[in-house]
């Protein structure tokens, strides 16, 4: 019966926080199939780690840490294989609205620039865009806050240069 309770707690946790997993999957995978595979792998790793969660950090911090570590490991494995990357964003309604088209073009350029970042830089950008504070970023990434601030400043400049070149 205790297992049922743990399973129910885990399923509720995933239901409440699955956006974290989806964001990580979209950041590190470009095809639907790869995103689905990574999503499943992250779920597996979360399930394995769940009994050891001690509430020493926020549940979202714990989930980001596991999701990012899993994605980074998977990303490194993928980099060793030869393949193609489709950097295009999915199409949606409103294609004839000039402002929407312009916004989509800017997002595609930004996405391509982010794709050129290292795996740690991508993770930092995602957490920054999620408006996580540097304390939580430190917990997730295991990098000191002062170093994170320097890295973030350099990443912003790097992205600015890359976007200007595109």
């Amino acid at each position: 019966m205790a297992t049922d309770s743990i399973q129910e707690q885990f399923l509720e946790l995933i239901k409440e926080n699955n956006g974290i997993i989806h964001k990580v999957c979209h950041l590190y995978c470009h095809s639907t199939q790869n995103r689905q595979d990574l999503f499943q792998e992250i779920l597996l790793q979360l399930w394995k780690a769940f009994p050891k969660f001690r509430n020493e950090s926020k549940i979202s911090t714990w989930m980001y840490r596991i999701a990012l570590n899993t994605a980074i490991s998977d990303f490194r494995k993928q980099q060793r294989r030869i393949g193609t990357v489709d950097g295009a964003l999915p199409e949606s309604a409103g294609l004839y609205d000039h402002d929407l088209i312009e916004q989509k073009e800017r997002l595609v350029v930004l996405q391509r620039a982010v794709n050129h970042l290292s795996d740690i830089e991508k993770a930092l950008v995602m957490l920054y865009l999620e408006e996580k504070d540097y304390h939580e970023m430190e917990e997730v990434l295991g990098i000191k806050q002062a170093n994170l601030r320097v890295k973030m400043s350099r990443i912003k400049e790097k992205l600015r240069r890359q976007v200007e070149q595109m």
Side-chain angles (χ1 to χ4, degrees):
M1 198 58 144
T3 304
D4 288 340
S5 176
I6 290 172
Q7 287 176 351
E8 289 170 9
Q9 289 174 353
F10 180 76
L11 290 173
E12 187 62 30
L13 166 77
I14 296 304
K15 189 177 181 182
E16 291 172 1
N17 296 285
N18 70 19
I20 291 171
I21 303 169
H22 285 292
K23 289 172 192 166
V24 170
C25 291
H26 279 276
L27 183 65
Y28 285 91
C29 296
H30 303 290
S31 76
T32 302
Q33 181 63 43
N34 287 345
R35 281 192 294 269
Q36 290 171 348
D37 291 347
L38 180 58
F39 189 91
Q40 293 299 318
E41 183 62 27
I42 291 170
L43 282 179
L44 176 65
Q45 296 308 318
L46 286 167
W47 174 247
K48 286 180 179 179
F50 187 63
K52 299 172 196 159
F53 179 66
R54 298 182 302 254
N55 286 317
E56 293 175 355
S57 63
K58 288 196 256 177
I59 196 80
S60 60
T61 302
W62 174 79
M63 285 185 72
Y64 269 120
R65 184 179 306 131
I66 291 173
L68 286 169
N69 285 338
T70 303
I72 289 169
S73 294
D74 187 67
F75 181 76
R76 287 179 178 157
K77 288 177 197 170
Q78 299 270 341
Q79 293 296 81
R80 291 185 203 126
R81 294 187 215 129
I82 297 174
T84 61
V85 174
D86 178 19
L89 293 173
E91 293 298 318
S92 63
L95 287 176
Y96 300 105
D97 185 321
H98 179 68
D99 291 338
L100 253 172
I101 293 171
E102 197 172 292
Q103 183 180 15
K104 284 183 182 185
E105 289 170 354
R106 287 193 308 264
L107 284 173
V108 168
V109 168
L110 182 59
Q111 183 180 12
R112 286 184 182 144
V114 168
N115 286 340
H116 290 359
L117 297 175
S118 73
D119 47 3
I120 296 297
E121 290 171 334
K122 285 179 183 179
L124 185 53
V125 166
M126 185 186 70
L127 293 171
Y128 179 82
L129 293 174
E130 285 289 310
E131 298 180 355
K132 300 297 179 189
D133 61 32
Y134 283 102
H135 175 73
E136 192 167 353
M137 288 181 196
E138 178 181 18
E139 285 185 43
V140 171
L141 299 173
I143 300 171
K144 298 289 182 198
Q145 290 182 42
N147 196 1
L148 286 171
R149 291 176 198 279
V150 170
K151 283 184 178 294
M152 195 65 229
S153 177
R154 290 179 181 160
I155 291 168
K156 286 178 185 178
E157 183 56 35
K158 189 176 189 179
L159 287 172
R160 195 175 356 266
R161 283 193 313 267
Q162 287 179 351
V163 166
E164 287 172 1
Q165 291 175 358
M166 293 183 177

